[in-house]
Amino acid sequence: MAGLDLTLPTSLSQVSKTHVAAVLIPLLTVIPYFLFKLPSPTRPTKIHPGLAELPGPDDELRKRLKAIYPENFYEGGGYADLPFGKLRYYILGNELSPKLVLICGISIPSPIWKDVIPILAERFRILVFDHYGRGYSEAPETEYNTTFYTLEVALLMHHLGWEKAHIVGMSMGGPIACAFAVNFPKLVDGKVGLLAPAGLMQDVHISAVPKFVSSRIGFYIATSSIFKASGRRIYTQRGDGPAGEELIKLQQLVLPHHIAAVASSIRDGPLRELDYAFAKLGKTDTKVLVVWGTADSVVPYSLATQVLTHIPRAKLVTVAGAGHDLLITHAEEVGAALIDFLSPGTSDVEIATFGTSVQFSKEEESALVRKLDWRIMPLVTILYLSNFIDRTNVGNAKVGGLEKDLGLVKYQYNIGLSIFFIFYALSEVPSNLVLKHVGANVWIPTIVMFFGFVTFITAWVKDFSSFMAIRVFLGIAEGGMMPGIAYFLSTYYKRHELVLRIGIFVSASSMSGAFGGLLASGLLKIRQLDHLPHGRWRNIFLVEGAITMLLSIVAFFFLPGKPENTKFLNERERVIATERLRVETAGLSKTEKTDFKLVLRAFTSVNNWLCALGFLFCNIPTQGISLFMPTLLKGMGYGTIESQLRSVPPYVVACSWSIFVAYGSYRTQRRGIWVLSSSLFGIAGASILVGTGNKRADYAGLFLLAMGVFPLGPLFLSWANNNAAPHTTRAVSSAMVVSIGTMGPIVSSWAYLPTDGPRYITGNSILIGAIAGLFISTVALILYNTWENKARAAGRRDWRLDADDETVAKLGHLHPRFRLTI
C-alpha cells in the first residue's frame, strides 16, 4: 500500500482528479446496471398494478375517448360480473351474424381496432376482449397466464350466451387465441386468426429503444411532456395520417400505463417463452390464418417462420410494407383477409401473399392430383423404362456374344461403358436449362426420339470404334432424361408429393431389368433379323430402339406443358395447379427468368453436394447390378438364357420394395431415415456375395442387394429437389445431382473385370464400400439440415431479409421461412 494517499480532502481545493474518479467510476458502473438490467424471462409474470387501476367508462378517460371516437362506435358492452371481478367488454355487429371474438394486445387495447372493426362488423357479431387490464376493468390485478385469460373469455361468452365463435388474436392476444382454441375447442367455430402474434420473441428481436424505454429511467423520460411531443413528430414522419394522429392521442392518454405494460412484457417475458401455446394448437385440426406486416419492427416479421413451424397447417398472409399497426394503416387489406378466411365455404382456402391468393377446397386439389397422376405418371414411367432398357441392354447383348462379334479384347467393353457415363454426366445440366426454356412437353419427347434412334442404329455397329461412337451419342441423348423428368414433376407436384412420384418413375429402372431380361431372352431365341451383320444380340437394339421411337411420338401428343397453360386442364384446374405450388412456399418460389446467380446457387448448396455424393455412391451398386447381373449369374454357373431369365425376379422384388420405400418417405415426409434403413439390406446382400461361394446364397444376396440400393436414387433426387428453389435453381440442382451421381457408374464399369471372375470378389467389395459411403453421407446430410432449420427458427438467417424486394423474392430455399426436408 506504500505510496497510496488515502487522506480524505478537508477543503474543495484539496479535491483532486483521483478523488473525483474514485466517486464517479463506481456510480457510472452500478447505476446503469440497475437502470437497464433486464431480468431473465420467467413465466407467468405479473402485470403492472397501474393497469388494473385505469378509470372506468364514466370517468375522465372515457370522456376523452369520446372526443376521439364517435359516441356510438360500439353498439353495446358493459361489465360482466365474473368470479374474478367485473370485466368490461365491447360488442358490435348484427346479432344474427356469425360470432367473432377479438382478443387485443397491449398497444391501447380495443380502440386500436377502430378502423378494421367496421369492416368485420358488416359480416360478424364481434366481442372485443382486452386481456391487458381486461378492458380497463374493475377486475383485480392478475398474472399474465394464458390459461387464466382463456377462462375469462369462456366465462364472458357464457355470460353473453355465445355457444361458438371464431377467434382472432392480435399481438399479445395471439398466444391467448391459441390457448383458447386448445383449452376450449368446443367453443371455437373451427377457425383462429393470428395478427402479428407475439409470444415467441427473444432478446435479439427486441430493439434497443424499447429496452431503454422499459428501464426505470427510460420510463420517466418517455412519459415526460417533451417526449410526448416527440411521439407526435415520429408518427407524422411515418406518414400514418389521421389514423396515426388518433393513435398518438390515445397513447399519450394512457402512456404511463402503456409503457408499464410494455416494460413488464420485455423484462419479465410475456412477449417470450409462449411457444407452448402455438405448439399445442399446431397439434389440432383447427384452421389457422396468420397475418403479418413485412415491415413490422415491434414483433418482427421473421417470427412468422417460428409460428409456421409450430403450426404447419397455418396459412400466411403477408401485407407488404405494413408495420405492427397494420390494423390502422392497412385496415381494408387485413379486414378482407380475415373475411375471406372466416366466411363459410372457405375452410380450405390456401393463402399466400395478400391480393394474389386463390380459394380452392381440398377436394378440388385432391381431384386435380388424381388427374395429374393418371395423365403424367404412366407416361413418364414408360418413357424412363424405355430409357433404362436402352441404356442397360448392352449387358444382355454382352452375354449374347457382343464382345466376340465386335472383336472387343481386354478392357474395351469396360471403356465403352465408361465413355457413355462421361458424356451422360456432361449433358445433364445443359439439357435441363434447355428444358426449362422450351418446355418439358417438347424437350423430353425430343431426347427420347434421339436416344431411341441411337439405340436402333446400334444394331449395325461392326467394331470397337463404331461401338465407342454409339456409346458417346447415347450418353449425350440420355443424359437429360432423369433430371428432366424429376424437374418436370416438380412443376406439378408439391415437395412432399414429389418423392412418391419420383420413386414410381425411377422404379422403372429396376423393372427395366425384368423387362429387359425377358425381352432379351426372347430376342436371342428368334432368328437374326434380315439385313443385319452377324449376331442375334443385334435384334435387341433394333427392336428396343424402334419401340422407343414410337413412344417418343406418343409423348409429343400426350406429355403436358407448363401447368399455367397446359390444355389437358381446364382454366380452374390450371389456376389451382399453379397456385398450390406457390402457396406451399408462401410465395417464396416464383417462376423467374434464368439468372446466372440462381444457377450458381445450386452449386453452392451444401444439401445439393451431399445429395450428389450420396447419389454417386448409390449409383455404383445400382448401375453395377444393372450392367453386370447377367454376368454375375453366369459366373454362378447358369447358362446364357437362364442367366437372362433369373435376372428377372430380383428386379421385380426391388421394384416393389422401391415403391414401398417411396410411399413410406412420402407419408412420413422424411428422406434420411429411409435411406439409412434400406441401405442395410444392400450391405447385407453384397456381404453375402463376398463371403460365400454357395450358389443359392449368392442368388439370395442379389435380391437383398437390389432391394437395398434401387430405392435410394429417387430419395436422393427428390431430397435435392425438395430443398432447392426457385425454379432455375431447382432445375440445375436436379441435373447437378444426377451429373455428379453419374460418376458412380464409371466406377462400376470397372468394378467387374474379366480377370476377377467368376465370383468377382473385388467388384462386390467395392459395392460394400460404396453403400457404406452413402450411409455416412446421409447421416451428415440429416445433421446439417437439422442444424440449419434450427438456425432459421432461431432467427439467425433473418439478415437475408435486409435487401430489396426483388432480391428477397429470389431467395428461394435460402429464405428464413423455408424449411429443409430431413
Side-chain angles (χ1 to χ4, degrees):
M1 300 294 285
L4 182 61
D5 184 9
L6 298 177
T7 305
L8 297 175
T10 57
S11 65
L12 186 61
S13 60
Q14 294 178 342
V15 176
S16 65
K17 293 181 180 179
T18 304
H19 293 113
V20 174
V23 174
L24 290 182
I25 289 176
L27 288 176
L28 293 174
T29 303
V30 175
I31 290 176
Y33 174 80
F34 286 104
L35 289 179
F36 302 107
K37 180 178 181 294
L38 299 179
S40 300
T42 56
R43 190 179 68 229
T45 181
K46 290 186 177 182
I47 293 176
H48 194 280
L51 290 172
E53 300 168 3
L54 288 171
D58 298 325
D59 296 314
E60 183 64 21
L61 178 63
R62 184 57 176 166
K63 294 177 182 178
R64 296 175 69 180
L65 287 175
K66 286 182 179 180
I68 299 174
Y69 291 102
E71 186 172 356
N72 62 347
F73 177 70
Y74 294 104
E75 297 175 1
Y79 283 97
D81 287 318
L82 303 180
F84 312 107
K86 289 185 177 181
L87 182 66
R88 182 172 162 193
Y89 62 91
Y90 303 109
I91 194 167
L92 72 162
N94 192 310
E95 291 185 4
L96 301 178
S97 298
K99 306 297 189 295
L100 174 63
V101 176
L102 301 179
I103 304 176
C104 302
I106 65 175
S107 303
I108 311 306
S110 54
I112 202 172
W113 294 84
K114 172 185 176 293
D115 293 275
V116 75
I117 282 180
I119 299 173
L120 298 176
E122 295 176 1
R123 302 288 293 271
F124 302 99
R125 178 70 165 172
I126 304 172
L127 167 64
V128 183
F129 175 79
D130 301 334
H131 74 277
Y132 247 104
R134 275 123 40 245
Y136 306 138
S137 69
E138 295 179 354
E141 174 193 353
T142 185
E143 295 178 331
Y144 185 91
N145 188 301
T146 53
T147 302
F148 176 82
Y149 287 124
T150 58
L151 181 59
E152 280 196 329
V153 174
L155 291 172
L156 191 54
M157 288 179 64
H158 177 73
H159 172 80
L160 297 172
W162 287 21
E163 295 182 358
K164 279 181 177 292
H166 299 308
I167 308 296
V168 175
M170 167 67 188
S171 191
M172 276 309 302
I176 298 173
C178 293
F180 184 84
V182 173
N183 295 340
F184 299 98
K186 293 183 178 180
L187 299 182
V188 179
D189 202 8
K191 298 177 183 177
V192 172
L194 303 175
L195 309 185
L200 299 174
M201 298 177 72
Q202 302 175 15
D203 281 340
V204 69
H205 298 120
I206 303 173
S207 63
V209 173
K211 285 183 179 179
F212 171 77
V213 172
S214 67
S215 65
R216 291 172 177 83
I217 189 172
F219 174 81
Y220 292 111
I221 293 175
T223 54
S224 67
S225 300
I226 296 175
F227 280 85
K228 283 184 180 181
S230 298
R232 178 182 297 274
R233 287 197 297 274
I234 292 171
Y235 268 87
T236 302
Q237 291 170 359
R238 289 177 56 185
D240 288 335
E245 288 291 323
E246 293 172 356
L247 184 59
I248 294 167
K249 294 177 185 178
L250 285 169
Q251 289 184 325
Q252 292 177 357
L253 200 62
V254 290
L255 190 60
H257 308 291
H258 172 64
I259 292 181
V262 174
S264 171
S265 299
I266 293 174
R267 288 199 308 267
D268 302 326
L271 288 173
R272 303 175 283 189
E273 291 199 343
L274 296 177
D275 304 60
Y276 62 89
F278 297 91
K280 288 183 178 179
L281 180 61
K283 296 178 181 179
T284 70
D285 293 329
T286 306
K287 297 175 179 62
V288 181
L289 173 71
V290 181
V291 183
W292 224 302
T294 58
D296 195 332
S297 59
V298 178
V299 182
Y301 171 63
S302 59
L303 290 173
T305 301
Q306 296 188 40
V307 173
L308 296 178
T309 300
H310 290 304
I311 314 175
R313 294 167 55 88
K315 317 303 177 188
L316 176 67
V317 166
T318 57
V319 185
H324 199 58
D325 52 355
L326 73 169
L327 292 176
I328 294 176
T329 60
H330 295 73
E332 291 186 4
E333 294 168 287
V334 175
L338 286 172
I339 289 172
D340 285 344
F341 174 68
L342 298 173
S343 297
T346 58
S347 61
D348 295 306
V349 173
E350 296 280 1
I351 299 176
T353 304
F354 179 82
T356 60
S357 59
V358 175
Q359 300 177 5
F360 54 89
S361 66
K362 287 191 174 181
E363 289 74 18
E364 284 183 292
E365 185 178 15
S366 298
L368 172 66
V369 172
R370 286 194 298 271
K371 188 172 183 178
L372 295 176
D373 285 341
W374 281 109
R375 177 63 176 266
I376 294 174
M377 293 311 302
L379 185 55
V380 297
T381 302
I382 292 172
L383 291 178
Y384 193 68
L385 174 66
S386 68
N387 168 260
F388 215 81
I389 288 176
D390 289 353
R391 182 192 316 175
T392 59
N393 55 16
V394 68
N396 302 106
K398 176 178 179 286
V399 175
L402 177 144
E403 282 185 301
K404 180 181 178 182
D405 291 336
L406 297 184
L408 304 184
V409 295
K410 294 186 178 179
Y411 305 123
Q412 288 182 335
Y413 174 77
N414 300 83
I415 294 172
L417 297 184
S418 300
I419 200 69
F420 165 86
F421 289 110
I422 291 173
F423 282 88
Y424 183 99
L426 292 175
S427 67
E428 285 169 320
V429 172
S431 177
N432 255 28
L433 290 176
V434 174
L435 181 148
K436 183 179 180 294
H437 180 70
V438 304
N441 58 320
V442 174
W443 187 243
I444 290 178
T446 300
I447 59 178
V448 172
M449 175 63 77
F450 186 13
F451 67 69
F453 176 73
V454 173
T455 301
F456 182 80
I457 63 175
T458 304
W460 280 272
V461 296
K462 295 181 179 181
D463 52 27
F464 175 66
S465 298
S466 57
F467 178 66
M468 287 289 289
I470 283 292
R471 298 299 292 177
V472 168
F473 283 111
L474 190 63
I476 295 172
E478 292 196 0
M481 191 63 179
M482 185 178 190
I485 293 179
Y487 171 70
F488 168 65
L489 293 178
S490 73
T491 64
Y492 276 97
Y493 292 99
K494 289 183 175 181
R495 295 168 70 198
H496 74 278
E497 297 168 344
L498 195 58
V499 63
L500 178 60
R501 275 72 188 183
I502 291 181
I504 291 173
F505 99 77
V506 177
S507 67
S509 64
S510 52
M511 286 307 297
S512 70
F515 283 108
L518 289 172
L519 190 58
S521 63
L523 292 172
L524 288 174
K525 287 182 179 179
I526 66 174
R527 70 177 182 83
Q528 182 175 337
L529 299 177
D530 295 336
H531 309 296
L532 290 178
H534 180 268
R536 291 186 178 183
W537 55 268
R538 299 178 188 274
N539 296 344
I540 297 174
F541 295 107
L542 190 74
V543 173
E544 292 177 358
I547 293 173
T548 299
M549 287 190 288
L550 289 174
L551 289 173
S552 72
I553 296 173
V554 174
F556 270 114
F557 290 98
F558 290 96
L559 193 67
K562 296 179 181 179
E564 58 266 28
N565 53 28
T566 183
K567 294 182 180 179
F568 93 97
L569 299 177
N570 60 41
E571 184 176 354
R572 172 68 174 170
E573 290 169 334
R574 287 195 293 269
V575 172
I576 297 174
T578 304
E579 188 70 8
R580 76 189 198 103
L581 296 186
R582 189 181 62 79
V583 165
E584 184 190 25
T585 51
L588 302 181
S589 180
K590 302 178 181 179
T591 303
E592 74 295 322
K593 294 182 179 179
T594 301
D595 186 335
F596 179 74
K597 291 181 179 179
L598 300 179
V599 174
L600 186 62
R601 185 181 297 169
F603 291 96
T604 57
S605 168
V606 175
N607 182 89
N608 279 355
W609 282 105
L610 288 173
C611 281
L613 188 61
F615 196 57
L616 185 154
F617 281 129
C618 87
N619 254 341
I620 293 175
T622 301
Q623 297 295 334
I625 295 172
S626 301
L627 294 170
F628 291 99
M629 185 178 286
T631 302
L632 291 172
L633 288 165
K634 198 167 184 179
M636 294 177 192
Y638 300 107
T640 299
I641 301 299
E642 190 177 4
S643 296
Q644 306 284 2
L645 295 174
R646 281 189 175 270
S647 67
V648 174
Y651 286 122
V652 174
V653 173
C655 179
S656 303
W657 177 250
S658 296
I659 295 175
F660 171 79
V661 170
Y663 181 76
S665 181
Y666 159 70
R667 295 295 298 178
T668 60
Q669 298 188 31
R670 291 290 184 270
R671 307 291 177 263
I673 188 63
W674 291 94
V675 172
L676 297 178
S677 302
S678 188
S679 62
L680 296 177
F681 289 101
I683 292 177
S687 299
I688 292 174
L689 292 174
V690 171
T692 177
N694 184 281
K695 190 175 181 179
R696 293 181 179 178
D698 286 344
Y699 189 52
L702 284 178
F703 279 84
L704 292 175
L705 180 58
M707 287 175 58
V709 298
F710 272 103
L712 306 186
L715 293 179
F716 281 117
L717 187 56
S718 62
W719 208 346
N721 272 278
N722 290 163
N723 293 336
H727 290 289
T728 298
T729 304
R730 186 180 302 129
V732 176
S733 295
S734 59
M736 168 196 164
V737 169
V738 178
S739 295
I740 296 174
T742 304
M743 298 298 104
I746 297 176
V747 176
S748 45
S749 298
W750 293 91
Y752 295 97
L753 299 176
T755 54
D756 195 30
R759 291 191 56 203
Y760 299 97
I761 300 296
T762 302
N764 293 324
S765 299
I766 291 173
L767 266 55
I768 294 175
I771 299 172
L774 74 86
F775 193 96
I776 295 171
S777 301
T778 303
V779 171
L781 185 53
I782 292 172
L783 294 176
Y784 171 77
N785 284 353
T786 302
W787 171 78
E788 177 63 21
N789 283 343
K790 288 182 178 179
R792 296 182 183 192
R796 295 200 296 272
R797 300 293 182 265
D798 292 349
W799 57 268
R800 293 171 179 165
L801 300 175
D802 298 331
D804 58 85
D805 293 343
E806 183 179 356
T807 302
V808 172
K810 291 183 178 181
L811 281 176
H813 68 264
L814 296 179
H815 200 288
R817 264 203 342 262
F818 191 99
R819 287 295 176 270
L820 300 173
T821 302
I822 297 174

